[in-house]
Amino acid sequence: MVSLYDNMYVNRNQDTVCRFLEKYLGLELHGYQYDDIGDFEKFVQKKIESGIPVGIVTDTSKCYWNPLYQKQSIRHCSLIVGYDEENYFLKEPYFSEETYRISKDCFDRNLVWSVLDLFYQKLEQFDLLSMLKEGFEYVNCNDTKYESMLRYSRDLCALIEIDLRNELIRDDIRYIPSLRSIKNLGSERKGLLALFREYSECVTEEIISLLLECVEKWQICLTRLMRVYLTRKTDRLASVSVLFSEIAVIEKQIYEEMMSYIASNHCEE
């Protein structure tokens, strides 16, 4: 059976993401299996001492520091940002801004699926509009995405009913992949809004206003769906379905306005 999470449009092409990280942030990323690293502790110490965190991809069922994880075995990313004699210091930004102190003894091949080796090189100044053009083309908010969102809104009630059969959500709604997806989508829009506000000379007020409205609607959508899962009452799903449709229209409009603005203000090299 297909859940709402399975139908959520989250565009993820890791090769493209890594290329953008290197091109626009100066971050070069290489992934290795745990055993390929050799001495994991020495590897972490070397990276931290050079001022660079270590990314790890973990099995959530082995993450004892968060009981929520232990009932699901899924892939999850964390950052090791420091260490002492007995512990690594982890950042888990999805749940909290706090730093976790985790015993080094936990970090073996059972917990760590792979290790992300990061390199940073300070970039020269680049053209912001070129970055935005590539970014928006990657996200590809065209008619395909628009129609996909409308389809989700039409199928929402049936998809939620499937999710509600999942026994895990009776313990904690944070187990629900659909809510995590919506939270992440909303957070990504917040990040884009922050970027646009910082470089407001590169976008129009209309685009910023549309994006602000979009961010607000994603938050309302998340709040309403949380109520549905908590109460297990689906009678208010019609309003959430309408929200999905409205978000689809706004995101299509943002894409079109942004690409039009870039085309009229940017000369290709």
Side-chain angles (χ1 to χ4, degrees):
M1 296 196 301
V2 179
S3 70
L4 176 62
Y5 175 72
D6 298 317
N7 275 270
M8 193 67 62
Y9 82 101
V10 182
N11 197 4
R12 287 292 181 270
N13 180 315
Q14 300 300 337
D15 290 338
T16 302
V17 170
C18 288
R19 180 171 62 84
F20 286 167
L21 285 174
E22 184 174 356
K23 183 175 181 179
Y24 294 116
L25 295 179
L27 289 175
E28 185 180 344
L29 186 151
H30 300 278
Y32 299 95
Q33 297 299 318
Y34 177 86
D35 290 333
D36 293 337
I37 290 296
D39 191 321
F40 181 77
E41 184 171 359
K42 286 184 178 179
F43 174 82
V44 172
Q45 289 177 354
K46 182 178 178 180
K47 299 301 290 189
I48 297 298
E49 287 170 3
S50 66
I52 300 176
V54 175
I56 57 172
V57 180
T58 62
D59 179 350
T60 57
S61 66
K62 305 294 192 302
C63 296
Y64 77 89
W65 56 91
N66 195 318
L68 172 67
Y69 287 151
Q70 295 180 7
K71 295 185 179 182
Q72 293 176 302
S73 180
I74 57 177
R75 186 166 56 184
H76 173 69
C77 294
S78 302
L79 274 181
I80 299 176
V81 296
Y83 65 92
D84 61 20
E85 188 173 340
E86 298 180 351
N87 305 285
Y88 291 127
F89 306 147
L90 251 66
K91 284 291 187 181
E92 294 273 10
Y94 178 77
F95 291 104
S96 172
E97 292 300 317
E98 71 177 291
T99 300
Y100 292 83
R101 187 186 298 262
I102 311 299
S103 172
K104 289 180 179 178
D105 294 339
C106 298
F107 291 79
D108 56 22
R109 67 174 58 87
N110 292 319
L111 171 68
V112 182
W113 287 354
S114 57
V115 180
L116 306 178
D117 190 6
L118 303 174
F119 298 86
Y120 173 71
Q121 181 177 354
K122 188 174 181 179
L123 293 175
E124 298 295 330
Q125 192 172 15
F126 58 82
D127 183 65
L128 182 64
L129 287 182
S130 294
M131 182 190 74
L132 292 174
K133 183 174 185 293
E134 280 202 273
F136 272 83
E137 287 175 344
Y138 164 67
V139 173
N140 195 25
C141 298
N142 56 19
D143 287 342
T144 302
K145 296 296 184 187
Y146 173 70
E147 292 297 333
S148 182
M149 278 292 288
L150 294 182
R151 185 168 63 252
Y152 301 149
S153 71
R154 291 192 296 268
D155 296 342
L156 185 65
C157 189
L159 294 170
I160 293 291
E161 291 286 357
I162 294 172
D163 274 353
L164 288 174
R165 297 172 197 161
N166 188 331
E167 293 183 3
L168 282 175
I169 72 170
R170 296 172 186 170
D171 298 325
D172 196 317
I173 64 171
R174 290 178 298 175
Y175 285 122
I176 306 171
S178 306
L179 293 182
R180 293 203 301 268
S181 289
I182 292 172
K183 180 181 184 295
N184 290 339
L185 287 166
S187 296
E188 289 171 0
R189 275 56 176 180
K190 286 181 183 178
L192 185 60
L193 179 61
L195 176 69
F196 281 1
R197 282 173 165 167
E198 184 174 353
Y199 295 94
S200 56
E201 72 277 5
C202 295
V203 294
T204 65
E205 284 294 331
E206 181 180 4
I207 293 173
I208 292 178
S209 178
L210 284 168
L211 188 53
L212 177 60
E213 183 181 1
C214 184
V215 167
E216 291 171 347
K217 286 184 180 293
W218 274 115
Q219 182 57 51
I220 294 170
C221 184
L222 176 62
T223 301
R224 290 184 182 177
L225 274 181
M226 287 174 64
R227 288 200 194 104
V228 169
Y229 283 115
L230 285 169
T231 64
R232 307 183 72 82
K233 295 179 180 179
T234 59
D235 54 322
R236 295 188 177 182
L237 278 177
S239 67
V240 183
S241 179
V242 170
L243 268 176
F244 267 102
S245 300
E246 292 173 350
I247 290 170
V249 171
I250 295 170
E251 294 207 347
K252 181 182 179 183
Q253 194 174 353
I254 291 170
Y255 172 78
E256 291 173 346
E257 290 288 336
M258 193 69 225
M259 296 306 288
S260 175
Y261 177 81
I262 292 171
S264 61
N265 290 273
H266 182 243
C267 294
E268 295 287 348
E269 295 181 356

